[in-house]
């Protein structure tokens, strides 16, 4: 029976030995890859692979991806989460044209708050100007209750007067350029 045990042990020792394939990554490099992926959540495997090459560590990108920390969700909030988290501070505005029976054109301005999807302001004029639009946003929100984010289309009707009015109501330049996005689907559907 002893010879059987020795034969069994030697057989499985030969079977379980490494036969080539991908070389193992040293433990220190695996820890380094893990730390880099935790410290830089926006970096992917190609970026970490490139940084390791700069350090003189030659590890393949698939090995880097294997040792990176797995994330459950995106590194930052998506558009849907942003709208949900900041709905009370978001307003959207859009202009539209209404032809009358006498073939005149009236221009409407609709400002809608996203918190409760309510209409904050509705204005109509035959001759829209940048000053008129700036006054409408002031009438809709007041000087002290301006929305944190204003979603609008960037047509030429708003003008520099409107931008200056937004800034005087509390919008900074960075918020202005980052928050002025395309008009959302809900506002366009409301105007139809």
């Amino acid at each position: 029976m002893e010879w059987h045990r020795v034969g069994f042990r030697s057989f499985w020792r030969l079977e379980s030995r490494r036969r080539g394939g991908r070389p193992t990554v040293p433990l220190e490099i695996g820890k380094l890859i893990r730390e880099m992926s935790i410290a830089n959540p926006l970096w992917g495997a190609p970026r970490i692979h490139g940084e390791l090459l700069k350090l003189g560590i030659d590890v393949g990108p698939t090995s880097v991806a294997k040792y990176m920390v797995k994330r459950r969700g995106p590194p930052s909030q998506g558009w849907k989460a942003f709208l949900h988290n900041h709905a009370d501070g978001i307003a959207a505005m859009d202009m539209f044209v209404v032809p009358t029976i006498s073939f005149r054109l009236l221009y409407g301005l609709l400002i809608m708050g996203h918190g409760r999807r309510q209409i904050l302001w509705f204005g109509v004029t035959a001759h829209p100007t940048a000053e008129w639009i700036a006054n409408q946003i002031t009438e809709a929100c007041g000087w002290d209750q301006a929305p944190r984010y204003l979603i609008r289309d960037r047509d030429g009707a708003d003008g520099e007067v409107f931008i200056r009015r937004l800034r005087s109501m509390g919008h900074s330049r960075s918020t202005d350029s980052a928050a002025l996005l395309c008009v959302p689907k809900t506002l366009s559907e409301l105007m139809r």
Side-chain angles (χ1 to χ4, degrees), residues 101-161:
I101 294 177
S102 62
F103 299 107
R104 291 180 44 218
L105 294 178
L106 294 178
Y107 298 89
L109 176 73
L110 181 69
I111 302 173
M112 183 177 128
H114 279 261
R116 295 179 179 236
R117 298 200 180 213
Q118 62 192 5
I119 296 176
L120 298 176
W121 191 258
F122 184 78
V124 178
T125 185
H127 305 287
T129 61
E131 292 84 13
W132 180 79
I133 296 171
N135 288 336
Q136 298 302 305
I137 192 73
T138 308
E139 291 290 331
C141 304
W143 285 96
D144 56 345
Q145 297 175 350
R148 185 169 178 188
Y149 301 99
L150 181 64
I151 301 173
R152 66 179 179 102
D153 52 357
R154 294 185 181 197
D155 55 1
D158 299 340
E160 187 61 34
V161 175

Side-chain angles (χ1 to χ4, degrees), residues 3 11 20 29 33 49 55 66 71-72 76 96 99 127-128 137 147 149 151 164 171 181 187-189 192:
W3 64 269
F11 172 78
I29 295 176
I33 293 170
H49 171 67
L55 294 173
K66 178 181 172 184
R71 286 181 188 77
R72 294 179 187 251
S76 63
F96 56 95
H127 305 287
I137 192 73
Y149 301 99
I151 301 173
R164 281 197 313 263
H171 285 278
L181 308 168
L187 188 58
S188 299
E189 287 177 352
R192 287 188 186 156

